[in-house]
């Protein structure tokens, strides 16, 4: 029946072990036995403690903070499986770090997203499974197959249920794109909820800083839902939420796939006009970053089903519906 590997084996680096464990549980298999630590000089030490010969191996590792450590863990683990004669190796990257360095915006800029793709391929990965790349064209940076999942089918049911419980929300809900680059994502979300869309026109005077120029669409007296792919320092998001509230919105909620939440992000969210922020667990959220305003949903079941479909040569695209 199956053509790739004699069995499924899921292994985890240190970046997001709870997600890997939830995926393994969803598949009804144990998490693979491995140790990933460091030598006294800081070099990464990897030990694979079970046979993977001929197996279909899935390495779950988000290249989130600390980005370079997590990336090196992933590369070394892939190399270890490759040398241990795994049948096929899939790098499962719920969050793909360096994705924002996907083009040359100034002279002499690197395209680091392409470099990382080359490193993963050179290490020995046969395919990649990832979720909500910041720039979809990054799929083309790989010379191996990429299954690109989206977070919307996990996030939107949460708000669909909210509308079902409060039917009056249907008349006041507006989905908002925080910038022109996220319009397609917001439009898909709005179509799913069957509500109108609004767009923020902003400019970035410097990295991790933004200024709102215009708001396109009617938000006065509305319940605004801001949709994005990730929240990093939360500057863009909280500026947008505060501005929207100032311009007469009833409430402001946000949702995104990746909870990067670096620097002052938590403090900004807590002190902002945001009522709730709904995120997926593609990145592990430590206790010090948890707050009642932040609601986490799990993507483990979707990634686990994608793994099962890849293993049995079934289409993954049906999971987008």
């Amino acid at each position: 029946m199956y053509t790739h590997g004699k069995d499924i084996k899921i292994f985890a680096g240190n970046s997001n072990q709870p997600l890997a464990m939830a995926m393994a549980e969803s598949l009804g298999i144990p998490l693979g036995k491995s140790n990933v630590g460091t030598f006294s000089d800081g070099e990464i030490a990897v030990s694979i403690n079970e046979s993977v010969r001929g197996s279909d191996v899935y390495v779950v590792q988000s290249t989130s903070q600390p980005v370079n450590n997590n990336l090196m863990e992933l590369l070394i683990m892939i190399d270890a499986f490759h040398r241990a004669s795994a049948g096929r190796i899939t790098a499962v990257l719920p969050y793909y770090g360096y994705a924002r360095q996907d083009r040359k915006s100034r002279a002499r800029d690197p395209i680091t997203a392409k470099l990382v793709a080359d490193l993963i391929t050179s290490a020995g990965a046969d395919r990649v499974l990832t979720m909500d790349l910041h720039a979809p064209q990054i799929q083309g940076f790989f010379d191996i197959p990429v299954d690109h999942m989206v977070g919307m089918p996990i996030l939107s049911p949460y708000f669909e249920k909210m509308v079902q419980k409060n039917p009056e929300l249907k008349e006041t809900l507006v989905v908002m794109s925080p910038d022109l680059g996220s319009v397609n994502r917001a439009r898909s979300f709005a179509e799913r909820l069957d509500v109108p869309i609004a767009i923020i026109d902003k400019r970035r005077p410097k990295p991790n800083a933004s200024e709102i120029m215009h708001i396109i669409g009617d938000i006065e007296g509305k319940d605004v839902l801001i949709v994005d792919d990730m929240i990093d320092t939360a500057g863009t998001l909280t500026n947008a939420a505060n501005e929207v509230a100032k311009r007469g919105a009833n409430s402001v909620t946000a949702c995104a796939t990746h909870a990067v939440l670096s620097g002052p992000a938590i403090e900004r969210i807590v002190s902002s006009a945001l009522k709730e922020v709904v995120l997926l667990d593609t990145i592990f959220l430590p206790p010090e970053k948890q707050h009642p305003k932040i609601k986490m949903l799990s993507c483990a079941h979707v990634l686990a089903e994608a793994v099962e479909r890849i293993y049995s040569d079934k289409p993954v695209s049906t999971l987008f519906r």
Side-chain angles (χ1 to χ4, degrees):
M1 181 182 177
Y2 301 128
T3 58
H4 296 296
K6 59 187 180 186
D7 53 6
I8 297 176
K9 292 203 173 184
I10 291 186
F11 290 85
N14 289 319
S15 72
N16 201 339
Q17 291 202 348
L19 177 60
M21 289 170 72
M23 286 174 63
E25 188 178 336
S26 184
L27 288 164
I29 59 174
L31 195 62
K33 295 172 187 169
S34 64
N35 293 319
V36 184
T38 53
F39 292 112
S40 58
D41 64 352
E43 288 181 4
I44 290 162
V46 170
S47 299
I48 310 301
N49 302 323
E50 61 180 88
S51 173
V52 295
R53 186 176 293 271
S55 296
D56 208 355
V57 171
Y58 296 81
V59 192
V60 182
Q61 180 82 329
S62 283
T63 50
S64 50
Q65 195 176 14
V67 182
N68 299 327
N69 264 31
N70 286 335
L71 177 58
M72 279 306 296
E73 279 186 15
L74 173 68
L75 298 175
I76 294 168
M77 289 183 82
I78 292 170
D79 182 71
F81 292 124
H82 182 63
R83 294 174 188 279
S85 302
R88 181 173 63 172
I89 303 162
T90 300
V92 182
L93 298 159
Y95 170 71
Y96 184 80
Y98 285 109
R100 284 171 284 183
Q101 297 185 44
D102 64 306
R103 65 193 183 282
K104 291 183 70 166
S105 50
R106 294 184 305 262
R108 297 173 296 281
D109 272 1
I111 304 180
T112 319
K114 166 62 174 163
L115 173 62
V116 171
D118 289 344
L119 289 169
I120 291 168
T121 307
S122 297
D126 296 297
R127 69 186 305 129
V128 167
L129 171 61
T130 189
M131 184 169 275
D132 265 337
L133 290 168
H134 185 68
Q137 65 266 24
I138 291 171
Q139 294 173 80
F141 292 177
F142 287 89
D143 296 325
I144 53 177
V146 176
D147 289 297
H148 183 211
M149 310 301 295
V150 290
M152 186 182 68
I154 310 168
L155 289 163
S156 59
Y158 178 83
F159 295 99
E160 285 168 0
K161 285 175 188 169
M162 194 181 286
V163 170
Q164 285 167 9
K165 286 180 186 173
N166 306 289
E168 65 276 7
L169 256 182
K170 185 79 171 171
E171 303 305 316
T172 59
L173 190 62
V174 172
V175 170
M176 173 172 274
S177 171
D179 53 40
L180 296 173
S182 298
V183 170
N184 287 340
R185 184 181 293 105
R187 186 179 288 116
S188 298
F189 215 99
E191 284 172 0
R192 190 151 179 149
L193 295 172
D194 192 25
V195 297
I197 185 174
I199 303 164
I200 287 178
D201 176 24
K202 70 175 186 186
R203 69 182 182 94
R204 282 194 183 275
K206 58 184 179 179
N208 290 119
S210 65
E211 290 178 9
I212 292 168
M213 308 296 286
H214 306 287
I215 293 178
I216 304 159
D218 180 22
I219 58 160
E220 192 172 345
K222 303 292 185 180
D223 294 288
V224 175
L225 170 59
I226 302 172
V227 177
D228 211 348
D229 65 321
M230 70 169 73
I231 301 172
D232 188 354
T233 61
T236 296
L237 174 65
T238 53
N239 282 349
N242 294 338
E243 187 65 26
V244 164
K246 199 189 297 180
R247 297 194 190 192
N250 275 343
S251 68
V252 192
T253 307
C255 71
T257 302
H258 306 300
V260 180
L261 300 178
S262 63
I266 301 299
E267 291 81 0
R268 284 174 171 172
I269 288 169
V270 170
S271 60
S272 74
L274 284 162
K275 181 176 149 189
E276 185 178 50
V277 179
V278 184
L279 300 161
L280 300 186
D281 60 350
T282 56
I283 296 171
F284 175 68
L285 195 67
E288 63 270 18
K289 290 187 178 181
Q290 292 172 15
H291 188 272
K293 268 192 177 185
I294 297 172
K295 166 83 174 173
M296 299 298 292
L297 304 179
S298 181
C299 61
H301 61 291
V302 169
L303 290 174
E305 178 143 1
V307 165
E308 197 163 30
R309 285 173 174 274
I310 292 166
Y311 176 62
S312 54
D313 287 331
K314 290 178 183 172
V316 175
S317 57
T318 52
L319 295 176
F320 299 167
R321 295 170 193 155

